[in-house]
Amino acid sequence: MLEHDKNIRNVISLIIEAGYQIDKEAFEFLKEISGRVDLNSLVKSVIEEVDAFPEKPLFITREMLEKKINEERITAMHELTGKTIQRLYAKNIEADFKVISDPTDKISATGSLEDCIEYFRSRFRKISRILRGRTDAKDAGNLVDALKAPENSKVKIICMVVDKRETRRGIFFRVEDLEAQATVFVPLERQDVYSKAQLILLDQVICVSASRGKNDLLIAEDLILPDVPLKKPNKSSIPICAVLLSDLHIGSKMFMEKEFRYFIRWLRGEVGGNIFRDLAARVKYLVIAGDIVDGVGIYPQQFEELKIKDLYKQYEEAAKILEEIPDYIEIIIIPGNHDATRRALPQPAILREYAEPLYELDRIHLLGDPSVISLHDVRILLSHGRSLDDIISSVPNMSFQAPDEAMKILLQCRHLAPIYGMRTLIASERVDHLVIEDVPDIFHAGHVHMMKYSTYRGILVVNSGAWQKQTEYQKEMGHIPNPGIVPVVDLQTLQVFPIDFTSMA
Ligand code: ZN
Ligand code: FE
C-alpha cells in the first residue's frame, strides 16, 4: 500500500517538475499499473518524448502512458526473440528434463522427540559443512574449546541461534552447538556487526568470530552467514524457454479462468502478434510452484469463496484445463499449502488418491516441495515459499510487494524454512531436506501472489505470481497481488520476459 503511494507521489512530482500536469484518467491508470510496471522509468521516458514535441502538451494523458508501455513491451520482445525461430521449435526438440532431488519417497518422520532432536542435528551438520566451505569460516572451532579460551582471546565458532534478545545496549543471542551453549553479545556501538545481527533469525546456523568475555559470554566481532558463492550460472545451449507459474487456485471463485485460458491459447500459438507467437513456439516446459487448486477447509470462511466445493472435482477441473496445453510441453508440479498432501515441509507430491486425473497425463510430473530439477543443464530449485510469510513478518524492511528480497534471505541462510515454530510447519525428518545444499541457477517460488524477479549472486530469483484475484484475506492484510503476469525464462540466457495476460484477455 504505502510503497504504491510513495511510487505514485514520486512520479507525479517528476511530471510537475518537468512542467506538465496529469489528468484524472492518467492518474487512475498509474495507480492501476503500479506494482506491475516500473512507474519511474515509464514516466521518465514519456516526459522525454513529449519534451521533444514541437508543441508541448499541457497534460500527460493515459493514452501517452499506454502507448509507451506497448512500445517497450515490443522492444523487449524483439530483444528476447532476436533469433529467428521456426514455428514448431519446441515441438521438434527432445525434452531434457531430470529430477535431481525430490523428497516424496524419503519422508519418514514419526513425530517423536528423538526425531525432533535428530532433525536439528542434521540441520546443524549440513549448514556447518556449508559454512566450513567458506574461506572466512573454515577455521571455526566448537563451543567447548571456545569457552576454555582465556578472557580477551579471539575465538571463532559455528552455532545455532536458539534465542534472541534486543536491549538498549545491544543484542544478546543464546547459541548452541552439538555439545555446549553460550551467550553472544553484539554491542550497539559495533554498527556493522549490529546491523547484521538485526537480520539474524532464530534457529539459523551461523559462524561467529568473537572475543572471549566473562563466564559464558562471547563478544561478537563478526557474524558470517553461509550464503551462496558468487558464480556463473549454467545455461542451456539452445534457445529453449520455460514458463514459471504458481498459485492457480482452481476451484476458487477468484481463479482467473478467462486469463488463464487466454494464456493457454498463447502457448498454442493462437493469439498475439508474430513476436508473441515466436516466443510461445520456444516454450517446452511449464513449472508450477504449488497451489494448483484452492483446496477445501484451508482457512475459515473459505467455503463461500469456492466455486468448486469438492477437492476431487477441483483436481479434475485442473487436469481438464492443463490438458489444453500443447502436448509437447512437459509440466512439472510441486504442491503448495492449498494442495492435497501433508501440510508440513518437506511436502510429498500431491497425493494420487486426490489427483488421479493429473497422474493420468503422461507429461505431468508431480514432485514434492522442495525439489531440484534440471532443464537443459539449468538447475532449478522449486519450493512453494510458505516460509516467505515468516521471513516478511520477522525481518526488518521486508514486504509482500518484494518477495524476491525475502527469497534472497533464504539463500543467505541456505535454508528454505529457517525459523521453526512460526506459520510454516516443519516435520521432524531425521535428515533436513530443507537445507539448500546445492546452489541452483534459478530459485523459483510462489505463495505470495506477487510476480517479481531479480538476480542474486548469479542466481535468477523468481516469484512467479498467481492466477487468483485479490482474496478477502489479502484485502484485510492490505496486500495487493499482481496476478495474471507470467515470467517466461529463456534458458539459454536466463533472461526473463514477463507477459501480462490481464491486459490481453
Ligand atoms: Zn497461493
Ligand atoms: Fe500458497
Side-chain angles (χ1 to χ4, degrees):
M1 250 333 214
L2 284 173
E3 205 174 325
H4 283 286
D5 291 347
K6 208 172 74 197
N7 284 341
I8 290 173
R9 244 181 288 137
N10 282 345
V11 296
I12 300 284
S13 34
L14 271 182
I15 292 172
I16 292 168
E17 276 162 32
Y20 302 99
Q21 294 177 54
I22 177 165
D23 64 11
K24 188 155 176 288
E25 240 185 285
F27 179 68
E28 290 303 322
F29 182 64
L30 283 177
K31 273 208 306 206
E32 196 186 305
I33 58 170
S34 127
R36 281 195 267 133
V37 170
D38 180 354
L39 290 187
N40 209 40
S41 75
L42 170 71
V43 166
K44 272 188 186 153
S45 48
V46 169
I47 290 174
E48 230 171 76
E49 191 175 306
V50 294
D51 271 348
F53 286 175
E55 216 166 308
K56 286 189 192 179
L58 263 169
F59 285 95
I60 300 285
T61 64
R62 176 179 176 132
E63 287 71 51
M64 291 174 190
L65 295 166
E66 271 182 337
K67 195 174 137 256
K68 195 73 207 163
I69 291 180
N70 277 329
E71 276 172 22
E72 274 168 16
R73 187 177 287 154
I74 304 258
T75 338
M77 258 310 187
H78 270 298
E79 273 164 27
L80 200 72
T81 55
K83 313 129 191 166
T84 22
I85 293 296
Q86 317 107 275
R87 258 312 127 70
L88 300 173
Y89 184 74
K91 189 176 181 173
N92 295 327
I93 295 279
E94 210 181 312
D96 181 0
F97 157 60
K98 293 181 207 88
V99 177
I100 306 297
S101 75
D102 172 9
T104 303
D105 297 325
K106 297 184 204 143
I107 274 158
S108 66
T110 60
S112 67
L113 177 65
E114 250 166 80
D115 275 1
C116 191
I117 294 168
E118 207 36 58
Y119 168 77
F120 278 105
R121 283 196 180 137
S122 167
R123 176 189 286 210
F124 183 81
R125 286 196 197 100
K126 282 188 174 196
I127 302 180
S128 297
R129 213 173 301 137
I130 294 169
L131 275 162
R132 278 183 212 287
R134 295 179 56 107
T135 40
D136 53 358
K138 67 166 182 277
D139 55 338
N142 60 47
L143 273 175
V144 171
D145 290 340
L147 291 174
K148 278 187 210 145
E151 215 178 305
N152 294 324
S153 59
K154 305 278 177 226
V155 294
K156 199 184 260 188
I157 48 136
I158 290 175
C159 58
M160 184 181 281
V161 174
V162 295
D163 189 39
K164 180 180 182 180
R165 210 153 39 84
E166 300 196 34
T167 73
R168 258 179 303 163
R169 291 194 296 131
I171 298 176
F172 287 89
F173 291 107
R174 192 69 190 154
V175 301
E176 62 183 36
D177 64 7
L178 297 174
E179 287 97 25
Q181 285 209 339
T183 300
V184 171
F185 175 57
V186 184
L188 189 62
E189 304 85 69
R190 291 296 306 267
Q191 260 308 318
D192 51 331
V193 195
Y194 184 80
S195 50
K196 280 189 195 174
Q198 284 181 303
L199 302 177
I200 299 287
L201 305 165
L202 287 189
D203 310 312
Q204 197 177 341
V205 179
I206 55 172
C207 173
V208 180
S209 105
S211 85
R212 188 69 183 87
K214 284 189 167 46
N215 301 319
D216 72 349
L217 195 68
L218 305 172
I219 298 143
E221 291 180 346
D222 198 11
L223 303 175
I224 300 160
L225 303 187
D227 213 333
V228 286
L230 195 62
K231 68 151 200 175
K232 258 177 104 182
N234 300 302
K235 290 173 181 174
S236 156
S237 58
I238 54 169
I240 201 85
C241 293
V243 169
L244 306 185
L245 297 179
S246 188
D247 296 80
L248 277 58
H249 292 270
I250 292 170
S252 158
K253 284 179 183 163
M254 270 77 76
F255 168 52
M256 293 157 62
E257 184 169 349
K258 190 180 82 181
E259 289 82 355
F260 195 74
R261 289 194 184 274
Y262 197 85
F263 158 69
I264 293 180
R265 291 188 58 209
W266 167 71
L267 285 175
R268 298 167 68 98
E270 293 170 7
V271 294
N274 276 341
I275 310 164
F276 272 96
R277 287 176 203 231
D278 282 352
L279 184 62
R282 291 165 55 198
V283 175
K284 184 76 183 172
Y285 308 94
L286 212 90
V287 187
I288 310 181
D291 286 356
I292 313 306
V293 300
D294 205 47
V296 173
I298 305 292
Y299 57 90
Q301 268 90 54
Q302 185 195 22
F303 209 66
E304 286 126 63
E305 296 189 2
L306 287 180
K307 188 176 159 201
I308 306 170
K309 297 178 195 292
D310 176 296
L311 191 53
Y312 294 90
K313 296 226 168 80
Q314 290 181 0
Y315 281 109
E316 241 169 64
E317 176 70 7
K320 241 186 256 165
I321 295 174
L322 296 180
E323 243 189 310
E324 301 291 315
I325 291 167
D327 59 8
Y328 57 85
I329 295 182
E330 303 287 328
I331 304 172
I332 296 109
I333 301 178
I334 64 159
N337 54 309
H338 284 251
D339 284 301
T341 186
R342 166 171 100 172
R343 195 61 61 84
L345 286 172
Q347 282 186 297
I350 297 170
L351 299 173
R352 187 168 196 138
E353 56 169 312
Y354 293 98
E356 186 62 42
L358 290 179
Y359 277 88
E360 274 166 18
L361 298 172
D362 276 350
R363 63 206 168 89
I364 294 192
H365 311 271
L366 292 115
L367 308 175
D369 176 0
S371 282
V372 178
I373 60 169
S374 152
L375 301 177
H376 300 262
D377 294 329
V378 177
R379 294 273 173 130
I380 309 181
L381 169 62
L382 294 173
S383 184
H384 179 58
R386 185 75 241 256
S387 73
L388 296 176
D389 287 343
D390 297 339
I391 300 292
I392 291 166
S393 65
S394 20
V395 179
N397 302 321
M398 289 286 143
S399 127
F400 284 104
Q401 297 297 313
D404 53 327
E405 293 300 320
M407 289 169 73
K408 287 174 199 169
I409 300 267
L410 300 181
L411 290 172
Q412 287 166 352
C413 297
R414 294 291 286 263
H415 201 279
L416 290 164
I419 321 168
Y420 191 83
M422 282 185 79
R423 287 175 60 183
T424 310
L425 296 175
I426 301 172
S428 299
E429 297 295 331
R430 290 188 152 235
V431 172
D432 189 350
H433 300 289
L434 303 172
V435 174
I436 304 173
E437 285 183 86
D438 299 313
V439 179
D441 302 308
I442 301 177
F443 177 21
H444 174 202
H447 185 61
V448 182
H449 296 206
M450 189 74 198
M451 203 291 290
K452 215 66 212 284
Y453 61 90
S454 47
T455 309
Y456 180 66
R457 315 207 88 194
I459 301 170
L460 175 62
V461 176
V462 184
N463 196 295
S464 57
W467 292 89
Q468 186 187 35
K469 293 207 175 99
Q470 191 186 38
T471 61
E472 279 306 316
Y473 177 71
Q474 289 166 341
K475 220 174 272 174
E476 273 166 41
M477 300 288 289
H479 174 42
I480 305 169
N482 67 355
I485 310 174
V486 172
V488 182
V489 180
D490 180 338
L491 296 174
Q492 192 179 33
T493 59
L494 295 194
Q495 245 187 310
V496 179
F497 186 72
I499 306 181
D500 185 347
F501 285 92
T502 60
S503 61
M504 290 169 78

